[in-house]
Amino acid sequence: MYARLTTFRVKADKFDEMRRWRDQNEAAIYAQPGLREWIGLMEDSGEVVVVALFDDERAAREALPHARALWAKMAPMVEGEPTARFLDVMAARNLASRATAA
């Protein structure tokens, strides 16, 4: 498995709107090719970390244009531009077993 780690900050007056947007766009989020799991975490300050787990590095990188299209729709709610890093998944015991079973 391979991960895309995305970080961004939600504008202070857009927290509720971001949560609604996420709920309304769940299908589009999970439509990313090769995506196994998507975990979004938000601090009270509005700092967001998204861990998107993919089948492999190729899938993670090929899904980036899809993610960028989602980010463009989020732009009015976000300060600056989201940043993405790509990481090898060293350990994800329960997720790894689900990936091989699928």
Side-chain angles (χ1 to χ4, degrees):
M1 271 192 299
Y2 213 77
R4 184 180 64 231
L5 180 70
T6 304
T7 58
F8 58 92
R9 179 175 297 279
V10 177
K11 294 176 182 175
D13 62 337
K14 301 292 184 179
F15 290 4
D16 290 337
E17 186 176 341
M18 176 59 77
R19 285 185 178 96
R20 284 191 302 275
W21 183 91
R22 184 260 170 258
D23 290 343
Q24 294 166 354
N25 287 277
E26 183 169 322
I29 291 168
Y30 277 98
Q32 295 176 78
L35 181 67
R36 288 283 180 185
E37 189 63 64
W38 185 93
I39 304 163
L41 310 160
M42 186 166 82
E43 293 181 14
D44 291 341
S45 67
E47 188 70 26
V48 174
V49 175
V50 174
V51 179
L53 300 174
F54 292 86
D55 293 329
D56 53 35
E57 181 179 3
R58 180 179 173 184
R61 293 187 182 278
E62 287 180 355
L64 188 56
H66 186 103
R68 288 184 198 268
L70 292 169
W71 298 345
K73 294 177 182 178
M74 295 182 341
M77 297 173 279
V78 174
E79 295 176 4
E81 180 83 12
T83 61
R85 294 173 46 199
F86 295 90
L87 306 161
D88 186 31
V89 176
M90 289 179 37
R93 185 181 202 170
N94 293 334
L95 292 173
S97 63
R98 282 196 304 189
T100 56

